[in-house]
Amino acid sequence: KLLDDDSNDVQAIAVKTLGVLLTTVHEEQVIEIADRLCTLVLDNSKSELRDVYTIGLRTLVKTVPLQMGDLVSHRLVGRLIDGIRQNSTVPGSSSAGEKSSEEISVVCLDVMTDLLTRFGSVSPSITRQHEQILSITLSQLASDRHVVRKRAGSAIGSLSTVISDALLVRLVESLLSQIELAEGIGKSGKRKTRAARKKDAANANADLKVADTRSLIQTMCTVSGAVGHRLGQEQIDRIIPIFLRFCEPDDAVTGDEVDDDDEDMDDADEGEEDEAAISLANELRESCFAGFESFILRCSKEVEPHLKQIVHSALSYMRYDPNYSYGDEDDDEDGDDGSVEEEEDEYEDDDEYSDEDDMSDDDDDSWKVRRSAIRALAAVVESSKHNPSKLWIDEFAWRKNKSKTITVAGALVNRTKEREENCRVDIIDCFARLLSITIQAAKDGVVVLSSPDAMDTSSSSVVIDLCTKYSPAIVKACEKQLSAKKGGERTKSSAMALLSVLSSSPGGVGSNEQIASVFIHIRPILSKDDDNAHHRKLSAGSKTLKLDALCLVRTMITGGSNDAAHLKNALLEKLLTELCSAVQEDWYKVIAEALRVLAEVPKLLAKAWSSVDDKSGKKEEMDKVATALYASIEPRLAAHDLDQEIKECALQATASLLSVLHSSLNTEQTGRLLSLLLERLKNETTRIAAIKTLSSVVSTGPSDEMDEGDSVDLSPILAEAVSELANLLRQQSRRIKQSALESLDIILRCNGGGSLDDALYESVLKELGAIILDSDLHMSHLSLRAAISVLEVSPSSGASVKSNVLPAALNLSTSPLLQDQALESLLSLFKELVGSNAVDFNELRTSLEGRLSVQDGKDGPHGKQTIGNLGKSIATITAATSAVNRDAVVKDILSTLESKKKVETQEIQLALLTSGDLGRLVDLSKMKGVAPRLQTIYLSSFDSSSEDVKHAAAYALGRASVGAMDTFLPAILEALEQNNEKKQYLLLSALRELIHCHKLGGSGDIGASVPVILPHLFTHSTDKEEGVRTMAAECLGSLTCLQPAVILPQLKDLAEKHSGKTVAEDASEDDKAAAKNDARACWTVATSVKFAIAGKVDPDQLAPFMPTFLALLKEEDIMVKNTALLMVYSAVHHTPQLVTGLMQEHILPSLYELARLKMKRVVDMGPFKHTVDDALPLRKAALSIFATCLEKCPSSLDVSAFMPVLAAALGDVEDVQLQAHQIVISMCSRHPVAIATSVESFVEPLEKTMNKKKGQKTGTELERLNDWIKSAVRVMVVLSGVDGAMNCRKFADFVERTRKNVKYVGMLESIDEEH
């Protein structure tokens, strides 16, 4: 009722209440309000309040509950269409009536856009009228009013996301057919249009106004931006040539070229165009380049055939500036190599952007064209991120003189002189991105960036001479921006970001002169006091700019590409004072970054001085730098009322200063820093940073190349610091305890601990013993290392170690979880205890052997892991004790193993394992009569009834062979020749242990024995038993790591001998048997290579053989295919560079095939039949490779070709689906455009999974099904967050249906909580 009030103010207030009201009233009232507002909007007599009614109606559309959307749409859509149709501007009508009609049309189009955006894909009322909406909005593109055309374009953009493919094709066809009628703009564009029309009589007289063309192109750009992924190759092939007609490179002129004559043009075109026409032409070009940007990002594959023309046009219009003369058109250029050296002289000007040269004014909008062209180039750079080589080598004629060519990279560097800051920043950012992806491509081996140290390369990759052709020009260009008076802060920030990227490239910033020049240009930004007025102005500038400058300096120092000596000389001479002053700034981020830079200065000095032979002047320079750094760092370290980041950075700088330059500080200065460090150690907020600082200071020894003196004297704070660290071991925080343990170990090992008393050591050992638990093996490892360090520096603490640490260590020795570092540390502790006589050998041995009978309150005997660890422990202390004790242990072992009395199986296992590990550490053949007896025992144990004893004997035989190879290895090989099938696996297992120990190192050279070992391994490579072949493959893999030059050629020969053979179905039994034998050999080769890759074989030696091994993917045998896939997976996971260059030709074709391969067969089980898919392991392995490639080597994948494979996997069996779900979720962040393009193909398989029937499933089966369904729901949720995915009508409908379904509410809530 208030909407009919006589007072306009009352009506306006009533409309403002709608936002709250609509969520509380009934459905009928919402419809009534919508009808009323629509009537008021369409009423010509209500023009004074139409804006208010419009706000109310749009608010209603945006806030009405989703379930009412269809009813509201039903009431509004028809009336809005009629309103647009009836109020289309009629030429000749009164100005007042024409204005009112225009307003109504604009409002209707705005509301229509809102309706389409919110309900376009879910409301049947809108869906039924898509065709009418399309027709009426297309008709408005011909309106005389710009605002109507613009709103119609927005409405069409929203409509394009929800209409069917047929209507989308009709929309694009309608737009393109009209754009084709338009005349080109500019002299060249008009000439080409007229030439085309002479050939096309039907369109000879057709014409379209530039304004209309602009609206059509802007609409086409809007459509492509919204649904570019739905446009096919045919549409792209039509769109781009039409757009290029309006962006002719010959029409892109600068002030240097604008006066050139063009005698070929008609007289009618010789006069200058008026400003309005030029403005419209510029807007048209801007729209075209915006379209190119959209196409390149969303339809990269379809655009590829046209990419060169787009780049040519974008390069030309990047310099389109008809109202300004850069004065460089006549400069000498080198058109052969596309380099940028010809521009260097330009940068010698003092100020390119001086007032007298600034020709820009409010009417010059050519900069918008340049910006749009630059953004199109940025899209090209982004689309080329996997292989940017063409942007560095392909040349284009970007000026009127077509004989002068340049590369994209060279053009970007040359155009950094751009006068408009928005464009200038975009150019610098674009080149920085190009340089960044090129550096990454060089790391991936796609291109080669030459440096002064490596100019020659035998690589077949594209070589980019960055150091010679580009670096000097880049540095010059950036320096000019940094010194420009009128250059904005954004430009300076971008220039410093570009220099940071350049610092990480081979050769870095460049020579000594270039580094010094960069620092000179940075100095005014950091300076606080300078006589030059301009420098004073800069020093008072943005805090962010100072932060960027400091980040650049730190990047240059730490990048590793710049020469350390040059950096050091330039830094100390040009910038050290300013860096020290920056610590006194007000903004905490600047202070923290300045401290980070100062922390790198001592390291830079150390690196620089270590690279030169002449050490003269070193002491004076060190003293000067140390004094300056101390004066800057000490006040910040001492202050308490500072930001946490500053405190931590001050500690970091202190660590660097004390570690490298402590001999250049006097006793008072060193003492002051150490006392402050101790104070920070006691402070709760800074203790972790202080612990790291203390560790860093202590770990610097007298051997450091920088300091000729002793290490830092910590005696003033050592005892108190150790005590404080021991107290921190009681903390609940695992991070604090870990840091304290690491620091304690370093302090005790590096500082000797001579000044510490036994009471302090005892307190430390008590704390260490309390945290040696198998619940946290890493903490146990650190505690054991610290205890060993105490024993090493203070042998008198042995009794304390025995009472405080040994009980916990003995408990740990029987933990089934004990392994890796914790086990190694435990063995080292036992060895140190025996070696230092802190514990009697026999007492410790008895304690360890006694642990075998202790069950720790658990039922059943100890497992193999526990017995193995006890065996290692006893063997370790036996090797460390005297010969007499060792003989006694061996005697007891032999007695146990040869005893005719009944001995417990675990005791036999322990004796066998102990003898084997002891044989690895000492040469048992030197002990009279021991080796033959053990050999007999080991071989006879293979006949034991206990599998555990058999495996223990095999382990012992292999380990004992390490110390006495001449005795045990011939016995192994002789037994293998006997070809006893029951013992082959055990003998090969022993051989594996022997080779594995040599692979780990410290066990002598096995090279001489390889020739006698290999024949046996190759013989068993075709064994029928898979376990035997696996053992042979493991041995071959380990030998490949040890002797790649010997083993790899033989593996290659074996693969070539047995691969590439086919057997007909009607072949003889002998032929079929031979084929199976060949398949087993190929299987062994692939498995051997897989183990070799996992064992870190030299990739350079393996690479030449990979094509032969990858050919196994094409073998017919399923078993071979699967093993070859596992080999590829191992390569991608461990050494991706090994297969990156082979993916497209050798791997991906097979992967695409195997990822879809299905080989189902029905197995008759009697009462029922069971379907088996023999190809399921292949599909799972193929998907695993794809998933790993996305993480390890994304540049090697063709994502668009992979998407159909992924869609098929989403509809596969459960295991494959779950893999596919993880891949989709991963790709949503890595490849959102590809995901949005293919999201429609995901709908059907996901919905099918989510609708799985639960039937009679209960317990584990029901839980597994629910997890499967939830995984599919999670994929849907993640996909819905991808930009552009909800523009797909089919997917949007699917999401809407799922969210409305009550059975998914719980899953959706759970997933939302996870995120």
Side-chain angles (χ1 to χ4, degrees):
K1 292 179 180 180
L2 293 177
L3 293 176
D4 295 324
D5 196 277
D6 294 335
S7 170
N8 290 346
D9 292 339
V10 173
Q11 292 185 38
I13 294 172
V15 168
K16 292 179 181 178
T17 64
L18 286 175
V20 179
L21 186 63
L22 290 170
T23 60
T24 59
V25 298
H26 294 295
E27 192 174 271
E28 296 80 7
Q29 292 169 310
V30 172
I31 303 303
E32 184 180 347
I33 294 171
D35 275 337
R36 183 64 182 148
L37 285 172
C38 189
T39 300
L40 292 171
V41 165
L42 297 175
D43 191 344
N44 279 315
S45 64
K46 299 287 187 179
S47 59
E48 67 277 4
L49 284 176
R50 185 170 290 115
D51 288 345
V52 177
Y53 301 144
T54 302
I55 293 172
L57 187 56
R58 297 187 71 180
T59 301
L60 183 145
V61 172
K62 292 177 181 178
T63 59
V64 68
L66 204 60
Q67 59 269 25
M68 300 183 191
D70 187 49
L71 289 173
V72 172
S73 302
H74 178 69
R75 290 298 183 97
L76 294 181
V77 171
R79 300 188 65 185
L80 292 174
I81 292 174
D82 291 339
I84 297 170
R85 184 181 294 114
Q86 294 169 10
N87 290 279
S88 297
T89 306
V90 180
S93 61
S94 65
S95 58
E98 186 176 343
K99 182 177 180 182
S100 179
S101 296
E102 177 187 333
E103 290 177 355
I104 294 174
S105 294
V106 169
V107 170
C108 290
L109 288 167
D110 283 340
V111 177
M112 184 71 76
T113 302
D114 293 338
L115 278 171
L116 290 167
T117 301
R118 188 145 192 247
F119 307 116
S121 62
V122 296
S123 170
S125 299
I126 297 180
T127 305
R128 285 192 295 268
Q129 302 193 64
H130 277 172
E131 190 167 356
Q132 292 185 50
I133 297 171
L134 178 61
S135 298
I136 195 67
T137 49
L138 281 173
S139 67
Q140 295 306 300
L141 291 177
S143 173
D144 292 336
R145 300 293 182 180
H146 171 67
V147 66
V148 175
R149 296 196 301 270
K150 186 174 182 180
R151 295 296 200 282
S154 299
I156 290 173
S158 298
L159 178 64
S160 66
T161 64
V162 296
I163 58 178
S164 64
D165 289 341
L167 283 179
L168 180 61
V169 171
R170 175 180 161 186
L171 166 61
V172 174
E173 181 64 32
S174 176
L175 293 173
L176 292 181
S177 61
Q178 294 181 70
I179 296 173
E180 285 178 332
L181 300 177
E183 184 178 42
I185 53 177
K187 296 179 180 180
S188 180
K190 289 178 179 178
R191 183 191 303 116
K192 290 188 177 182
T193 301
R194 292 175 184 177
R197 287 182 177 174
K198 288 179 181 179
K199 299 179 181 179
D200 187 358
N203 292 329
N205 299 318
D207 199 3
L208 192 67
K209 292 183 291 184
V210 173
D212 294 338
T213 306
R214 180 189 58 186
S215 297
L216 290 167
I217 288 180
Q218 286 175 338
T219 303
M220 191 66 246
C221 293
T222 303
V223 171
S224 67
V227 292
H229 57 279
R230 293 176 61 190
L231 299 178
Q233 187 70 53
E234 183 179 349
Q235 284 110 352
I236 294 294
D237 289 342
R238 281 194 64 196
I239 294 170
I240 292 182
I242 293 173
F243 279 23
L244 286 169
R245 186 194 304 168
F246 304 101
C247 305
E248 280 294 332
D250 290 344
D251 293 325
V253 295
T254 66
D256 304 292
E257 303 165 332
V258 76
D259 295 328
D260 290 354
D261 294 328
D262 193 342
E263 299 176 358
D264 296 331
M265 290 301 298
D266 296 337
D267 293 339
D269 294 322
E270 289 180 356
E272 292 187 357
E273 296 178 282
D274 58 66
E275 292 183 3
I278 293 174
S279 179
L280 287 174
N282 285 340
E283 287 189 29
L284 189 55
R285 287 167 176 147
E286 182 186 359
S287 298
C288 288
F289 282 115
F292 292 146
E293 179 187 5
S294 175
F295 293 140
I296 293 167
L297 292 176
R298 292 184 172 270
C299 320
S300 56
K301 189 174 182 180
E302 290 80 1
V303 170
E304 194 169 347
H306 309 277
L307 203 55
K308 207 157 189 175
Q309 293 171 283
I310 294 174
V311 171
H312 186 195
S313 184
L315 284 177
S316 299
Y317 279 93
M318 180 175 68
R319 60 186 295 277
Y320 170 66
D321 198 353
N323 297 324
Y324 186 80
S325 174
Y326 290 88
D328 64 339
E329 187 61 23
D330 296 328
D331 288 350
D332 292 333
E333 299 187 25
D334 185 354
D336 294 328
D337 59 3
S339 68
V340 294
E341 295 178 356
E342 69 274 1
E343 298 289 346
E344 290 184 20
D345 292 337
E346 294 176 17
Y347 298 118
E348 301 301 325
D349 299 335
D350 290 333
D351 188 6
E352 186 177 346
Y353 310 113
S354 61
D355 293 337
E356 62 182 6
D357 288 338
D358 192 355
M359 302 287 291
S360 63
D361 55 57
D362 295 337
D363 296 328
D364 183 11
D365 56 2
S366 62
W367 67 273
K368 295 181 181 179
V369 179
R370 300 197 297 277
R371 181 184 62 183
S372 191
I374 295 162
R375 289 178 177 176
L377 280 177
V380 173
V381 170
E382 198 62 36
S383 68
S384 306
K385 60 184 177 183
H386 298 316
N387 185 5
S389 58
K390 290 185 178 180
L391 303 180
W392 295 87
I393 58 176
D394 287 357
E395 297 183 3
F396 300 87
W398 74 324
R399 294 187 174 180
K400 208 166 185 70
N401 183 354
K402 295 185 179 180
S403 64
K404 300 176 180 178
T405 60
I406 200 165
T407 62
V408 172
L412 287 169
V413 176
N414 282 342
R415 283 304 300 175
T416 54
K417 62 191 175 186
E418 166 66 47
R419 63 189 177 106
E420 172 61 41
E421 184 169 29
N422 289 316
C423 300
R424 192 163 61 242
V425 169
D426 283 350
I427 288 171
I428 296 173
D429 290 346
C430 181
F431 184 77
R433 177 60 180 157
L434 172 59
L435 183 58
S436 176
I437 65 175
T438 305
I439 293 171
Q440 183 59 47
K443 293 178 181 177
D444 295 338
V446 178
V447 299
V448 175
L449 291 177
S450 63
S451 66
D453 300 326
M455 289 298 293
D456 297 326
T457 176
S458 58
S459 173
S460 59
S461 303
V462 174
V463 179
I464 300 171
D465 188 4
L466 186 65
C467 298
T468 305
K469 291 186 177 180
Y470 292 95
S471 291
I474 295 171
V475 173
K476 277 286 186 183
C478 291
E479 288 174 353
K480 185 159 184 65
Q481 305 307 326
L482 293 175
S483 61
K485 293 179 182 178
K486 294 188 67 179
E489 290 184 4
R490 289 175 56 219
T491 302
K492 290 179 170 60
S493 181
S494 293
M496 287 188 283
L498 174 55
L499 287 172
S500 296
V501 176
L502 182 62
S503 296
S504 62
S505 66
V509 171
S511 63
N512 187 25
E513 293 76 14
Q514 288 171 307
I515 294 173
S517 181
V518 169
F519 285 164
I520 290 172
H521 285 82
I522 292 175
R523 184 168 58 192
I525 299 175
L526 298 175
S527 176
K528 279 192 148 187
D529 186 17
D530 199 293
D531 294 336
N532 186 290
H534 172 48
H535 287 180
R536 284 201 302 272
K537 178 181 177 182
L538 278 175
S539 67
S542 168
K543 296 176 181 178
T544 305
L545 207 57
K546 291 186 178 182
L547 181 62
D548 291 339
L550 290 167
C551 289
L552 170 59
V553 175
R554 185 159 67 95
T555 302
M556 291 178 66
I557 295 175
T558 59
S561 298
N562 298 290
D563 184 84
H566 293 167
L567 266 176
K568 184 259 298 181
N569 295 333
L571 186 75
L572 299 187
E573 181 182 351
K574 310 292 183 185
L575 211 58
L576 183 61
T577 303
E578 284 71 21
L579 292 176
C580 293
S581 300
V583 178
Q584 307 302 321
E585 290 288 341
D586 298 326
W587 192 28
Y588 77 98
K589 285 188 176 294
V590 172
I591 300 171
E593 189 61 33
L595 287 168
R596 290 191 189 98
V597 175
L598 293 183
E600 299 298 332
V601 172
K603 301 173 188 175
L604 176 64
L605 262 68
K607 185 177 180 181
W609 279 111
S610 66
S611 62
V612 296
D613 297 328
D614 184 7
K615 307 291 184 181
S616 60
K618 174 182 174 183
K619 184 68 169 66
E620 294 76 9
E621 186 176 86
M622 287 194 308
D623 293 346
K624 178 183 176 182
V625 173
T627 302
L629 294 183
Y630 176 83
S632 300
I633 296 169
E634 189 273 338
R636 291 301 181 184
L637 184 64
H640 293 279
D641 55 341
L642 294 176
D643 185 85
Q644 179 70 13
E645 187 178 359
I646 296 177
K647 293 178 182 178
E648 293 180 357
C649 291
L651 284 166
Q652 181 182 343
T654 302
S656 180
L657 177 60
L658 285 174
S659 299
V660 182
L661 299 177
H662 57 270
S663 65
S664 297
L665 299 172
N666 58 43
T667 305
E668 182 181 349
Q669 291 173 328
T670 303
R672 173 63 174 163
L673 291 178
L674 290 176
S675 63
L676 290 173
L677 177 56
L678 181 62
E679 186 180 329
R680 292 291 179 223
L681 181 63
K682 296 178 179 179
N683 187 290
E684 185 177 354
T685 60
T686 57
R687 59 173 48 139
I688 291 181
I691 290 172
K692 292 178 180 178
T693 301
L694 188 60
S695 301
S696 177
V697 171
V698 173
S699 60
T700 304
S703 61
D704 193 293
E705 292 186 2
M706 192 61 207
D707 257 322
E708 292 87 352
D710 296 330
S711 58
V712 184
D713 181 13
L714 290 181
S715 56
I717 67 165
L718 183 60
E720 199 170 350
V722 170
S723 177
E724 184 65 27
L725 290 172
N727 292 334
L728 292 177
L729 297 180
R730 302 172 189 169
Q731 294 282 335
Q732 291 295 319
S733 170
R734 186 178 187 276
R735 184 184 178 195
I736 291 176
K737 287 196 289 188
Q738 181 175 332
S739 300
L741 283 169
E742 291 171 348
S743 184
L744 266 175
D745 186 32
I746 293 173
I747 289 173
L748 294 171
R749 281 191 295 103
C750 299
N751 207 61
S755 60
L756 301 179
D757 56 29
D758 291 341
L760 183 57
Y761 282 129
E762 185 168 3
S763 67
V764 171
L765 290 169
K766 283 181 180 179
E767 302 299 337
L768 293 176
I771 54 178
I772 298 177
L773 302 167
D774 65 353
S775 57
D776 193 334
L777 288 179
H778 185 64
M779 297 295 290
S780 297
H781 154 67
L782 295 175
S783 300
L784 291 167
R785 295 305 309 172
I788 294 169
S789 298
V790 171
L791 268 178
E792 289 175 346
V793 300
S794 177
S796 61
S797 300
S800 182
V801 173
K802 179 180 178 182
S803 59
N804 293 301
V805 178
L806 183 58
L810 289 172
N811 286 332
L812 185 64
S813 67
T814 51
S815 171
L817 303 176
L818 181 62
Q819 58 185 325
D820 300 332
Q821 287 183 323
L823 175 60
E824 293 299 324
S825 297
L826 181 67
L827 297 177
S828 298
L829 175 65
F830 288 153
K831 181 179 179 181
E832 188 66 31
L833 284 170
V834 172
S836 62
N837 293 319
V839 179
D840 180 68
F841 166 75
N842 290 314
E843 179 184 354
L844 181 56
R845 176 194 166 195
T846 303
S847 298
L848 288 169
E849 290 176 344
R851 301 298 301 176
L852 191 64
S853 59
V854 178
Q855 303 300 323
D856 293 331
K858 301 177 183 178
D859 295 332
H862 288 294
K864 289 189 293 184
Q865 180 76 14
T866 299
I867 299 174
N869 291 339
L870 285 174
K872 287 184 174 70
S873 301
I874 297 172
T876 299
I877 62 174
T878 302
T881 191
S882 63
V884 175
N885 288 335
R886 193 179 306 129
D887 291 340
V889 171
V890 172
K891 182 179 179 181
D892 289 344
I893 290 174
L894 290 171
S895 175
T896 300
L897 295 175
E898 294 176 341
S899 175
K900 296 183 180 179
K901 297 179 181 180
K902 185 176 181 181
V903 182
E904 293 290 336
T905 301
Q906 289 195 346
E907 293 183 23
I908 297 176
Q909 281 182 258
L910 181 61
L912 287 169
L913 296 174
T914 302
S915 66
D917 284 310
L918 180 61
R920 182 191 176 190
L921 300 173
V922 298
D923 186 353
L924 294 176
S925 63
K926 294 181 179 179
M927 302 175 71
K928 186 176 180 181
V930 171
R933 292 169 65 186
L934 282 176
Q935 178 180 312
T936 303
I937 292 170
Y938 294 152
L939 294 175
S940 63
S941 296
F942 288 173
D943 297 320
S944 172
S945 59
S946 170
E947 289 296 322
D948 290 340
V949 171
K950 289 181 182 179
H951 290 293
Y955 174 90
L957 177 58
R959 293 268 167 155
S961 302
V962 177
M965 191 183 302
D966 293 340
T967 301
F968 290 100
L969 180 58
I972 296 175
L973 299 179
E974 183 180 348
L976 282 170
E977 288 179 357
Q978 295 175 7
N979 203 21
N980 187 329
E981 292 184 4
K982 295 182 179 180
K983 298 181 180 181
Q984 298 304 305
Y985 179 85
L986 296 172
L987 291 167
L988 288 171
S989 179
L991 195 57
R992 179 195 62 179
E993 288 297 329
L994 167 64
I995 298 171
H996 179 67
C997 290
H998 280 87
K999 180 173 168 288
L1000 293 177
S1003 303
D1005 183 17
I1006 198 177
S1009 303
V1010 170
V1012 296
I1013 294 175
L1014 280 180
H1016 296 281
L1017 296 179
F1018 287 134
T1019 299
H1020 289 88
S1021 66
T1022 57
D1023 197 279
K1024 294 180 180 180
E1025 293 293 330
E1026 184 176 336
V1028 173
R1029 295 200 308 276
T1030 301
M1031 279 297 170
E1034 282 196 58
C1035 294
L1036 287 169
S1038 296
L1039 284 175
T1040 302
C1041 297
L1042 293 169
Q1043 304 275 332
V1046 176
I1047 309 299
L1048 285 172
Q1050 298 194 48
L1051 286 176
K1052 178 186 176 183
D1053 293 342
L1054 186 64
E1056 290 176 340
K1057 178 181 177 182
H1058 293 278
S1059 63
K1061 300 178 182 179
T1062 57
V1063 180
E1065 293 183 3
D1066 57 350
S1068 64
E1069 291 299 323
D1070 291 342
D1071 290 340
K1072 290 181 179 180
K1076 290 181 179 180
N1077 196 64
D1078 290 336
R1080 289 193 286 265
C1082 293
W1083 183 95
T1084 304
V1085 170
T1087 306
S1088 302
V1089 176
K1090 179 188 74 173
F1091 284 127
I1093 294 171
K1096 307 298 182 185
V1097 66
D1098 183 359
D1100 292 332
Q1101 297 207 45
L1102 177 57
F1105 299 93
M1106 282 304 294
T1108 300
F1109 300 141
L1110 291 174
L1112 298 176
L1113 287 168
K1114 300 177 181 178
E1115 287 295 296
E1116 291 184 355
D1117 190 86
I1118 295 297
M1119 178 179 64
V1120 177
K1121 287 179 182 288
N1122 189 47
T1123 310
L1125 285 173
L1126 296 177
M1127 176 188 69
V1128 173
Y1129 175 81
S1130 181
V1132 173
H1133 181 74
H1134 294 288
T1135 52
Q1137 70 273 17
L1138 196 62
V1139 292
T1140 300
L1142 303 171
M1143 289 293 289
Q1144 296 296 331
E1145 183 179 352
H1146 293 87
I1147 299 176
L1148 287 179
S1150 297
L1151 283 186
Y1152 294 142
E1153 177 188 349
L1154 297 177
R1156 295 187 175 190
L1157 181 64
K1158 293 185 179 181
M1159 300 180 66
K1160 293 184 178 180
R1161 56 188 172 88
V1162 177
V1163 180
D1164 191 347
M1165 306 291 290
F1168 58 91
K1169 294 183 178 180
H1170 179 59
T1171 302
V1172 177
D1173 187 351
D1174 293 327
L1176 177 59
L1178 302 182
R1179 299 201 300 277
K1180 292 168 66 175
L1183 271 188
S1184 297
I1185 294 172
F1186 281 123
T1188 310
C1189 283
L1190 287 170
E1191 179 185 353
K1192 299 286 187 177
C1193 49
S1195 61
S1196 62
L1197 273 185
D1198 183 351
V1199 176
S1200 59
F1202 171 59
M1203 298 313 292
V1205 176
L1206 184 58
L1210 288 171
D1212 210 319
V1213 298
E1214 179 184 357
D1215 290 346
V1216 178
Q1217 279 193 37
L1218 293 173
Q1219 280 184 283
H1221 290 169
Q1222 294 301 317
I1223 294 174
V1224 171
I1225 292 172
S1226 173
M1227 290 187 69
C1228 284
S1229 57
R1230 289 190 171 99
H1231 302 279
V1233 175
I1235 287 290
T1237 303
S1238 306
V1239 72
E1240 186 172 345
S1241 62
F1242 298 163
V1243 173
E1244 186 175 340
L1246 286 176
E1247 191 164 25
K1248 186 176 179 181
T1249 299
M1250 291 162 60
N1251 292 331
K1252 289 284 183 184
K1253 303 293 184 183
K1254 296 184 180 179
Q1256 302 298 318
K1257 291 183 174 67
T1258 58
T1260 306
E1261 287 187 357
L1262 180 60
E1263 184 179 348
R1264 182 172 178 176
L1265 178 61
N1266 286 331
D1267 289 342
W1268 185 7
I1269 295 172
K1270 186 177 180 180
S1271 178
V1273 176
R1274 183 182 291 106
V1275 171
M1276 182 208 72
V1277 171
V1278 176
L1279 283 172
S1280 64
V1282 175
D1283 185 25
M1286 295 300 287
N1287 291 338
C1288 173
R1289 177 182 170 187
K1290 187 175 180 179
F1291 179 73
D1293 290 346
F1294 165 55
V1295 173
E1296 193 67 29
R1297 288 195 305 273
T1298 304
R1299 292 194 177 278
K1300 286 181 179 179
N1301 197 324
V1302 292
K1303 75 176 184 179
Y1304 302 122
V1305 171
M1307 291 183 181
L1308 289 168
E1309 290 176 352
S1310 175
I1311 291 168
D1312 290 339
E1313 289 176 3
E1314 291 175 6
H1315 293 283

